[in-house]
Amino acid sequence: MGINATLIGQMITFLVFILFTMKFVWPPIRQAMHDREKRIADGLASAERGQHELELAQKRAAEQIREAKQQASDIIEQANRRASEIVDESREEAREAARREHAAAEARIEQEVAQARSELRKQVSDLAIRGASRILEREVDAKAHNAMLEELADQL
Amino acid sequence: MAESATGYVQHHLQHLQIGDGFWTLNVDTLIFSWITGLIYLGLFYAVARRVTSGPPGKLQNAIEIVVEFVDKTVKESFHGPREFVTPLALTIFVWVLFWNLLDLIPVDLLPDLAAAMGVPYLRIVPSADMNATFGLSLTVFVLIIVYGMKGKGVGGFGKEMLTHPFGSFPLLVPANLILNIVEMVAKPVSLALRLFGNLYAAELIFILIALLPAWIQWIPGTAWAIFHILVIPLQAFIFMVLTIVYLSLAYEKH
């Protein structure tokens, strides 16, 4: 026990050890730990950024799907409307055509009736003349009474 | 028996020395502190050379735990430039820890081996030698003065020595100076004696346990060794923290 020159040796050794640690041990280890901290922090940050971007993309995709659905339903609605329009139009056309046909047929019938009527009238007057001439036996001059007979036929 | 017991203890407390008077060297203290120091530097330097910022290996991980721990402790207490203080703290912590760990080697093992090789005396625990603990604490003392002058300037340091606790009234200057000198001197003395006292007492108790009959030794031996496992890192930690605190007190303006 007791203090002796060992003390000086220890102090020198101590200083040498501190300086060695300061020069060769501390800086590289500390640097590596700092670098790792930075890398981990960067990694976490980029992971967060990726997450954020993923969320954005998902939102965008949902938006697009919604839009597409909207468009599709618009198109279907339009098509339905168009179809019912076409059906209505053709129904209307058919009705119109039927009406036209009907009118034409009626006109034709009327014409034929009129024709038949005048024919009938003529025949009736002929028949009347013939009957009257037979009754009167020559007393009736066809020529002389023709005008009167015509008038009679017209009255029928 | 009593005579041989006294002789046994005295033999165990005798350093292996060369030279005489003040110029004596405790060769065992020097050699074992160098060995532990070189283990420390070798271990840390080996890791520092192959250090990677990628996933660390097991050894690098262990070293990084120590480095991180010391770095955090220094950061919390010392607010000046740390490029010297942190390596200082790391050196103190690991080196003293290794010194203290030598205390767990059975007290007779290395001395008996040495005796077999013709070396008469051997004390392997450097921290149970005041030369080693004062070697650390006096270096710290010099650094306290250096950091005091660096932080406050030479004038500021001197002014604080003369005026600090009681104020600058001329009659009080001597009282201030005496008090400051006592305070300054108390720091390295308490640092060194605390470590020395703990480890010297522990070594002595291991020596006394070794005097017991062989069949009973394991009971107090185990108990004391387990307790000592707490003391070993604690004393290393206390030495480191107090060093940082003293440097911080010296460096910062009040």
Side-chain angles (χ1 to χ4, degrees), chain A residues 37-96:
Chain A
E37 265 165 38
K38 204 168 123 32
R39 273 169 59 177
I40 291 173
D42 287 355
L44 287 176
S46 72
E48 204 154 301
R49 210 164 42 237
Q51 186 77 25
H52 188 64
E53 264 161 31
L54 178 66
E55 257 167 42
L56 273 184
Q58 274 173 345
K59 216 178 277 176
R60 221 167 27 232
E63 181 73 17
Q64 275 173 353
I65 287 173
R66 210 176 52 74
E67 246 166 55
K69 271 186 186 158
Q70 183 66 41
Q71 266 177 6
S73 76
D74 280 1
I75 288 170
I76 289 173
E77 202 184 326
Q78 219 173 342
N80 277 341
R81 217 168 34 230
R82 185 81 196 103
S84 73
E85 252 174 38
I86 289 171
V87 168
D88 281 357
E89 261 170 38
S90 49
R91 192 176 288 150
E92 197 56 40
E93 243 167 56
R95 208 170 276 151
E96 185 67 27

Side-chain angles (χ1 to χ4, degrees), chain A residues 2-8 10-11 13-14 17-18 20-22 24-26 28-30 32-33 35-36 39, chain B residues 22 24 26 33-34 37 40-41 51-54 60 64 68 71 83-84 86 88 91 95 131 134-135 139:
Chain A
I3 297 294
N4 55 35
T6 313
L7 177 70
I8 297 165
Q10 286 290 320
M11 286 174 77
T13 312
F14 185 35
F17 283 0
I18 297 170
F20 186 89
T21 305
M22 193 172 129
F24 302 111
V25 173
W26 188 260
I29 295 180
R30 198 63 214 142
M33 289 168 77
D35 287 353
R36 186 178 318 121
R39 273 169 59 177
Chain B
F22 175 76
T24 306
N26 295 348
S33 64
W34 286 341
Y40 152 62
L41 289 180
V51 75
T52 163
S53 63
Q60 190 186 331
E64 279 184 10
E68 184 82 54
D71 193 36
E83 65 271 16
F84 180 81
T86 319
L88 166 75
T91 308
W95 201 19
N131 289 300
F134 271 102
T139 312

Side-chain angles (χ1 to χ4, degrees), chain A residues 65-138:
Chain A
I65 287 173
R66 210 176 52 74
E67 246 166 55
K69 271 186 186 158
Q70 183 66 41
Q71 266 177 6
S73 76
D74 280 1
I75 288 170
I76 289 173
E77 202 184 326
Q78 219 173 342
N80 277 341
R81 217 168 34 230
R82 185 81 196 103
S84 73
E85 252 174 38
I86 289 171
V87 168
D88 281 357
E89 261 170 38
S90 49
R91 192 176 288 150
E92 197 56 40
E93 243 167 56
R95 208 170 276 151
E96 185 67 27
R99 231 188 336 265
R100 263 202 314 275
E101 212 123 300
H102 188 71
E106 260 177 5
R108 211 164 41 241
I109 288 168
E110 217 150 289
Q111 204 183 346
E112 269 171 23
V113 166
Q115 212 178 337
R117 199 172 275 162
S118 74
E119 198 114 326
L120 198 62
R121 213 180 283 140
K122 219 184 278 171
Q123 278 181 5
V124 166
S125 70
D126 270 1
L127 214 55
I129 291 169
R130 218 177 294 158
S133 61
R134 192 147 309 158
I135 293 163
L136 295 176
E137 295 278 321
R138 289 181 149 263

Side-chain angles (χ1 to χ4, degrees), chain A residues 25-26 29-30 33 36, chain B residues 39-51 56-71 90 93-94 98:
Chain A
V25 173
W26 188 260
I29 295 180
R30 198 63 214 142
M33 289 168 77
R36 186 178 318 121
Chain B
I39 290 173
Y40 152 62
L41 289 180
L43 196 62
F44 278 65
Y45 185 54
V47 169
R49 279 185 55 179
R50 289 178 293 126
V51 75
K58 278 180 189 148
L59 182 61
Q60 190 186 331
N61 218 338
I63 298 299
E64 279 184 10
I65 289 170
V66 178
V67 165
E68 184 82 54
F69 168 69
V70 172
D71 193 36
L90 181 70
F93 181 66
V94 183
F98 284 178

Side-chain angles (χ1 to χ4, degrees), chain B residues 100-111:
Chain B
N100 296 354
L101 279 171
L102 290 178
D103 209 11
L104 289 177
I105 295 174
V107 279
D108 279 324
L109 183 63
L110 293 180

Side-chain angles (χ1 to χ4, degrees), chain B residues 162-163 166-174 176:
Chain B
L162 296 177
T163 65
F166 301 127
S168 56
F169 186 67
L171 277 178
L172 293 174
V173 166
N176 288 334

Side-chain angles (χ1 to χ4, degrees), chain B residues 91-101 136 195 235-236 239:
Chain B
T91 308
I92 289 176
F93 181 66
V94 183
W95 201 19
V96 173
L97 182 71
F98 284 178
W99 283 0
N100 296 354
L101 279 171
L136 292 186
L195 180 61
Q235 287 303 322
F239 203 111

